[in-house]
Amino acid sequence: MGMPERFAIDVRPVALKENIVFWKDYRVTVLTDRLFRIEKNAQRLFRDNATQAVWYRDMPAVKFTFEDNGETAVITTEKCSLKLGRKFKDCAIKLCNKSVPVSNRGNLKGTCRTLDMCDGDTRYLDWQFVNKQKVKLQEGVCSLTGVAFMDDSQSLGIDSHSNIILEKASGTDGYVFAYGKDYLAAVKAYFAICGKVPMIPRYALGNWWSRYHAYNEKEYLTLLRKFSQRNIPLTVATIDMDWHYSDDVDERFGICRQGLNDDFHGGNSGWTGYSWNKDLFADYKSFLQKIKRQNLAVTLNLHPADGVRWWEDMYREMAQAMGIDSATRQAVRFDFADPVFIDNYFKILHHPYEDNGVDFWWVDWQQGSSSKIDGLDPLWALNHYHFTDHGSRHSHPLLLSRYSGAGAHRYPLGFSGDTMITWKTLRYLPYFTATASNIGYTWWSHDIGGHMNGETDGELYLRHLQFGVFSPINRLHCCNERTQTKEPWAYSNGVGLIAGQWLRLRHSLIPYLFTYSYLTHAEGIPLITPMYYRWADCSEAYAFKNQYMFGNLLVAPVTKPMEKDGYASVAVWLPEGRWTDIFTKDVYVAGKGGKTVTMYRRLESIPVLAPSGCVLPLSQDNGNACGNPMKLDVCCFSGNGSFSMYEENSSTEKPSFTRFEISEKEGEQELVIRTGDAVLQRTLTVRFEDICDGTVTVEGTDNWEVLLEDCVCVSIPVEAQSSYNVCVKYSPISLLDRLKKRTETVLLQTECLNSLKSELMRRTDKCRTVEEFIEVVENSAMPKVVRKVLTETL
């Protein structure tokens, strides 16, 4: 029996005949001038079906030559050549006059299934936290050698018409990516054969509240009210497993007392459940609508492995649909190898709740790694069918689940699992998140703040949250302990107040993030990439593993505690060019080859650096709503550049782009704005972040005003599909004057004897050269760390 029509997938797995070469027991498909499929099978049994990983092989014709040399054969394209040997281990790529074996030597890695039970890159194998091993990342499609191999031999086939799972390959079936150091091109080629990354809905890009805790309706709504009272916006409300009957199912339903705890009846575990706990939520439909009225999306946690048992509200209907006599109380087994079960699983268990207000589902652990079909991982099946089903009912489908191997990027978002609350975990996550882009897995969601164990530490919480704000998904979460939470107001000494500021910043970033949701989907450009994607020839781009590009922003999270002097230090590699910290407004200039700078930050910020010519749009709308903003800050950093902000027009369902183009001349900065049609009218506040004073002119409207800010700031009411030109003429500030101004800011915040601060301020004011300034600072009586901070930007 095939799957229902709603599970149909659009695949085009058959390659053009002119792109295929047969030689001995090989079939080679030339997919692009740098991407080859190699199949090797003694019986010459090759498959043309889609697989769990690869769906598209109908690539355009590629120019190549084929040369049969008897013991070897060579396929040559305009970019490289592939040599075939009688044994697969003898295959090699000739790239840039170098011969590279077809292997994963030098592979820059991808990602892994989960970080459950992990403390940094160490995974514990038991709940006694004794046995452990290093986290092993699977291979990606980027390599230091320029050649990566994606083995698809274990991936099951998929029948394009029935969506039924087929057999594995009999022999070798893999893909050779020969893109050299053009890593982004390799990832785009991966998307071309495996499928695009779906668009992430706007609401998923804001702040998520999630806590493993048995909330009741009053408690949960009171919690949301506390966030609202503190002006801390949320966009996703997560209700963990206790939305359904869980810990007390045996006592509640008398399972053991009636002798119904055997395998036939499904046991008495409460992890799996589909019936709302009426003791906690007397009227769940009303509860969901109360959340929805606060402009929040709702997700519920699932552990589906135990099927549907006799005490569930929908057991009778599910049993009947599966041909089971409900009077026997026989459990309906979880079986994602059965099309009938899959169909009823969604229609009976999930669709009604979606109709009542559940926006998407969080598929948690428990179901193991085997099923009735040999080689079928139930996690892959859950991801595939959940996302496909959701897509049949939503324009932007969504799922929260774990990574299920190559192709899993088609089922966002990733849930990285239950990690430890430690600095070690925080130090590992930036590298782990950026590296996942090497296998196209661009939307990881971590338990921000950590999940369990470790320690409660306000500084660690805040640094973890700061990373979360500049990670793909900002989902606060923690374990089922009454003494643990990620509520900002639970953290004292100012930490909670700073956390609120960062959560507001994340909400304001949604226009920027949604643009990258579009860019990832449409152009294969991940939001987060390792530094070597842009600076592949610089060794530092590989060495500084914990910094990454967040769109156009360079982010270097703080991942170790502050010293006693009140500063945390971060070694940051700056590529060539001018970089401005978006928080401190400090300017750093790196020459050819870049430079390494030790940056010092107090609790309030981390290094987030905008390159010259960067334009950063930030929503200034209040509340939880996250639609196209009516008030928008446009933060401009001097130089030449552009940014096209993507939005969706709800009336036409067509994409809309507002284009910002910034250009620089000597003493003049210009911003040209071309608005889209998603919003008829809105107010733009243009901020020239690194220009303190100047003369402003605006073309396109007479209704504008200059605001009193630390930088040149202009408020402009704009209309749809219109053009505006903002120009600032200013006197460039010298490096020495910038150092003096910065010194005043630093000393205002420095805690030490005021006489020392005043003396240094007077002396630096008199300096006539940068060299003199450095000498004065280094020979002052100020604390050592302050002297370092004052010269940091040099």
Side-chain angles (χ1 to χ4, degrees):
M1 177 181 175
M3 297 295 294
E5 182 65 28
R6 71 178 187 279
F7 292 106
I9 52 175
D10 175 25
V11 297
R12 299 183 298 278
V14 181
L16 293 179
K17 291 182 178 180
E18 50 263 48
N19 282 352
I20 297 175
V21 172
F22 292 92
W23 182 75
K24 299 190 184 304
D25 57 354
Y26 284 92
R27 181 173 76 165
V28 177
T29 307
V30 185
L31 294 163
T32 76
D33 55 13
R34 291 179 285 178
L35 174 60
F36 306 88
R37 182 193 190 191
I38 300 180
E39 297 169 277
K40 190 175 190 297
N41 182 274
Q43 291 75 40
R44 295 171 68 89
L45 297 175
F46 306 120
R47 56 181 181 175
D48 287 322
N49 291 101
T51 69
Q52 291 173 293
V54 178
W55 288 5
Y56 307 100
R57 304 187 194 100
D58 62 332
M59 310 295 277
V62 181
K63 292 182 179 180
F64 65 90
T65 60
F66 174 70
E67 182 181 354
D68 186 346
N69 298 317
E71 290 301 305
T72 63
V74 179
I75 298 171
T76 302
T77 72
E78 293 179 350
K79 297 290 186 179
C80 65
S81 62
L82 168 65
K83 185 191 78 172
L84 302 174
R86 282 191 172 274
K87 296 181 179 180
F88 181 78
K89 66 181 181 64
D90 296 325
C91 295
I93 291 285
K94 188 174 183 181
L95 188 68
C96 301
N97 295 319
K98 290 179 61 178
S99 181
V100 181
V102 173
S103 70
N104 278 310
R105 179 169 56 88
N107 196 285
L108 288 164
K109 300 300 180 182
T111 193
C112 66
R113 190 179 184 100
T114 179
L115 291 179
D116 274 317
M117 303 282 286
C118 283
D119 184 11
D121 63 351
T122 301
R123 173 177 285 115
Y124 288 95
L125 304 178
D126 53 58
W127 285 100
Q128 287 71 44
F129 303 106
V130 175
N131 296 311
K132 58 187 179 181
Q133 65 182 20
K134 286 288 186 182
V135 171
K136 295 181 180 179
L137 300 184
Q138 297 173 13
E139 312 293 354
V141 299
C142 305
S143 174
L144 289 169
T145 66
V147 176
F149 180 69
M150 186 179 85
D151 188 352
D152 199 36
S153 303
Q154 299 302 306
S155 185
L156 299 179
I158 304 176
D159 185 276
S160 305
H161 302 291
S162 64
N163 210 352
I164 293 296
I165 305 300
L166 303 173
E167 73 289 338
K168 299 178 186 177
S170 54
T172 298
D173 185 1
Y175 296 81
V176 183
F177 293 79
Y179 284 84
K181 293 183 178 179
D182 193 349
Y183 303 125
L184 183 58
V187 174
K188 288 184 176 184
Y190 167 82
F191 289 144
I193 62 171
C194 296
K196 293 182 176 183
V197 181
M199 284 281 294
I200 304 301
R202 290 184 77 100
Y203 66 74
L205 301 170
N207 298 307
W208 297 35
W209 177 255
S210 179
R211 184 187 180 197
Y212 181 16
H213 176 75
Y215 287 105
N216 59 40
E217 176 176 343
K218 179 181 177 181
E219 189 178 7
Y220 202 95
L221 295 175
T222 299
L223 171 78
L224 296 182
R225 179 175 173 81
K226 288 181 179 179
F227 275 101
S228 178
Q229 288 173 333
R230 290 164 173 80
N231 190 28
I232 299 176
L234 300 173
T235 56
V236 176
T238 304
I239 308 171
D240 213 310
M241 64 173 289
D242 289 297
W243 67 272
H244 61 75
Y245 300 120
S246 56
D247 289 342
D248 61 347
V249 290
D250 184 16
E251 179 182 347
R252 179 182 296 275
F253 299 108
I255 299 169
C256 293
R257 187 174 66 252
Q258 299 179 65
L260 300 175
N261 59 324
D262 56 8
D263 183 65
F264 179 85
H265 297 96
N268 63 348
S269 169
W271 283 98
T272 297
Y274 298 100
S275 308
W276 278 84
N277 186 332
K278 294 182 177 60
D279 291 342
L280 301 179
F281 307 97
D283 183 351
Y284 78 85
K285 296 179 184 179
S286 172
F287 169 66
L288 290 175
Q289 291 310 308
K290 289 173 183 175
I291 294 179
K292 306 288 284 183
R293 285 196 290 270
Q294 298 184 53
N295 292 312
L296 288 162
V298 177
T299 184
L300 304 184
N301 175 278
L302 298 172
H303 291 81
D306 290 324
V308 185
R309 277 78 62 81
W310 57 268
W311 63 79
E312 299 284 7
D313 294 343
M314 61 287 292
Y315 170 73
R316 186 178 299 238
E317 182 181 359
M318 190 70 178
Q320 181 179 1
M322 295 302 298
I324 294 174
D325 182 359
S326 61
T328 66
R329 298 189 178 185
Q330 177 185 350
V332 180
R333 303 293 180 191
F334 169 81
D335 184 4
F336 254 55
D338 180 0
V340 177
F341 176 83
I342 294 171
D343 185 26
N344 291 318
Y345 171 87
F346 291 108
K347 286 196 306 186
I348 296 172
L349 304 181
H350 295 83
H351 290 176
Y353 288 154
E354 291 177 21
D355 294 339
N356 293 326
V358 176
D359 292 279
F360 66 101
W361 301 92
W362 170 14
V363 177
D364 214 329
W365 207 230
Q366 189 205 16
Q367 69 279 348
S369 57
S370 62
S371 63
K372 291 181 180 178
I373 296 178
D374 182 32
L376 176 61
D377 182 352
L379 174 61
W380 181 89
L382 279 164
N383 289 351
H384 176 72
Y385 292 117
H386 255 284
F387 199 84
T388 305
D389 178 78
H390 203 249
S392 70
R393 295 162 57 85
H394 299 80
S395 58
H396 291 318
L398 195 67
L399 174 70
L400 183 63
S401 185
R402 285 170 171 79
Y403 177 73
S404 53
H409 65 277
R410 297 188 301 259
Y411 318 118
L413 306 160
F415 164 49
S416 66
D418 301 340
T419 53
M420 306 294 181
I421 307 172
T422 63
W423 286 99
K424 185 178 178 182
T425 293
L426 177 56
R427 278 192 290 275
Y428 184 59
L429 286 179
Y431 163 76
F432 177 83
T433 308
T435 302
S437 291
N438 293 341
I439 193 64
Y441 205 64
T442 59
W443 293 107
W444 266 124
S445 168
H446 306 300
D447 282 5
I448 296 302
H451 181 78
M452 60 189 179
N453 294 65
E455 62 177 328
T456 297
D457 177 338
E459 182 186 0
L460 172 59
Y461 163 76
L462 186 55
R463 295 305 192 191
H464 213 302
L465 176 58
Q466 290 167 339
F467 163 69
V469 168
F470 286 96
S471 68
I473 302 295
N474 191 37
R475 179 180 53 84
L476 284 76
H477 187 65
C478 71
C479 64
N480 187 22
E481 294 289 345
R482 293 170 61 193
T483 57
Q484 294 183 38
T485 184
K486 298 301 186 295
E487 296 166 2
W489 49 88
Y491 294 84
S492 57
N493 297 323
V495 168
L497 295 175
I498 299 172
Q501 295 173 354
W502 278 82
L503 291 167
R504 285 187 284 275
L505 171 62
R506 174 67 186 203
H507 195 82
S508 72
L509 280 164
I510 290 176
Y512 181 76
L513 296 167
F514 193 57
T515 298
Y516 272 92
S517 173
Y518 170 79
L519 289 173
T520 304
H521 167 71
E523 300 181 25
I525 301 175
L527 168 66
I528 288 182
T529 57
M531 298 297 291
Y532 48 76
Y533 272 43
R534 302 194 191 188
W535 295 278
D537 292 326
C538 295
S539 60
E540 292 86 351
Y542 302 86
F544 284 74
K545 296 182 179 181
N546 255 30
Q547 67 180 62
Y548 53 87
M549 296 304 295
F550 187 78
N552 285 327
L553 301 173
L554 190 161
V555 181
V558 172
T559 60
K560 62 181 181 180
M562 294 185 298
E563 300 292 340
K564 292 181 180 180
D565 54 34
Y567 285 93
S569 61
V570 188
V572 182
W573 176 67
L574 292 176
E576 181 179 354
R578 172 189 169 107
W579 300 86
T580 304
D581 189 301
I582 70 170
F583 298 114
T584 66
K585 303 303 185 291
D586 290 338
V587 176
Y588 304 82
V589 179
K592 187 175 181 180
K595 69 177 182 181
T596 301
V597 178
T598 300
M599 300 186 183
Y600 298 87
R601 296 294 183 270
R602 293 188 180 274
L603 203 56
E604 292 83 357
S605 74
I606 63 174
V608 179
L609 302 149
S612 174
C614 179
V615 178
L616 178 64
L618 300 173
S619 171
Q620 294 304 313
D621 289 354
N622 292 320
N624 294 334
C626 60
N628 299 327
M630 300 302 298
K631 297 179 180 179
L632 191 74
D633 269 11
V634 183
C635 303
C636 303
F637 298 87
S638 295
N640 299 294
S642 63
F643 187 82
S644 292
M645 184 179 70
Y646 172 84
E647 297 176 293
E648 291 178 334
N649 190 327
S650 58
S651 60
T652 64
E653 297 184 353
K654 292 183 178 180
S656 172
F657 295 92
T658 293
R659 176 81 172 171
F660 303 99
E661 295 181 3
I662 185 171
S663 58
E664 182 179 46
K665 299 178 183 177
E666 182 66 30
E668 184 177 310
Q669 191 72 54
E670 183 178 44
L671 176 68
V672 176
I673 305 165
R674 296 181 177 88
T675 61
D677 63 357
V679 177
L680 294 179
Q681 292 182 322
R682 65 166 31 128
T683 299
L684 297 183
T685 300
V686 179
R687 303 175 57 87
F688 294 92
E689 297 286 2
D690 42 14
I691 301 176
C692 298
D693 196 12
T695 303
V696 181
T697 58
V698 177
E699 296 179 3
T701 179
D702 295 328
N703 189 17
W704 59 276
E705 63 175 322
V706 175
L707 305 179
L708 296 177
E709 300 278 355
D710 291 336
C711 63
V712 172
C713 189
V714 187
S715 176
I716 311 171
V718 300
E719 297 180 351
Q721 296 181 305
S722 301
S723 295
Y724 304 87
N725 187 306
V726 186
C727 184
V728 181
K729 293 184 178 180
Y730 63 99
S731 298
I733 184 172
S734 68
L735 174 58
L736 178 61
D737 287 339
R738 195 163 67 236
L739 288 169
K740 290 180 179 180
K741 182 176 179 61
R742 184 173 178 276
T743 299
E744 181 177 353
T745 301
V746 172
L747 291 180
L748 280 170
Q749 299 172 348
T750 298
E751 297 179 357
C752 71
L753 288 173
N754 288 325
S755 57
L756 293 178
K757 292 165 56 175
S758 298
E759 173 63 18
L760 180 58
M761 193 76 252
R762 282 192 293 270
R763 294 188 63 194
T764 55
D765 278 344
K766 296 179 181 178
C767 291
R768 295 293 177 264
T769 64
V770 172
E771 291 73 20
E772 185 182 355
F773 174 88
I774 295 172
E775 182 179 0
V776 167
V777 169
E778 290 181 346
N779 292 326
S780 71
M782 296 297 293
K784 182 179 179 180
V785 68
V786 178
R787 300 199 300 271
K788 290 182 177 179
V789 171
L790 289 173
T791 56
E792 174 185 309
T793 59
L794 296 172

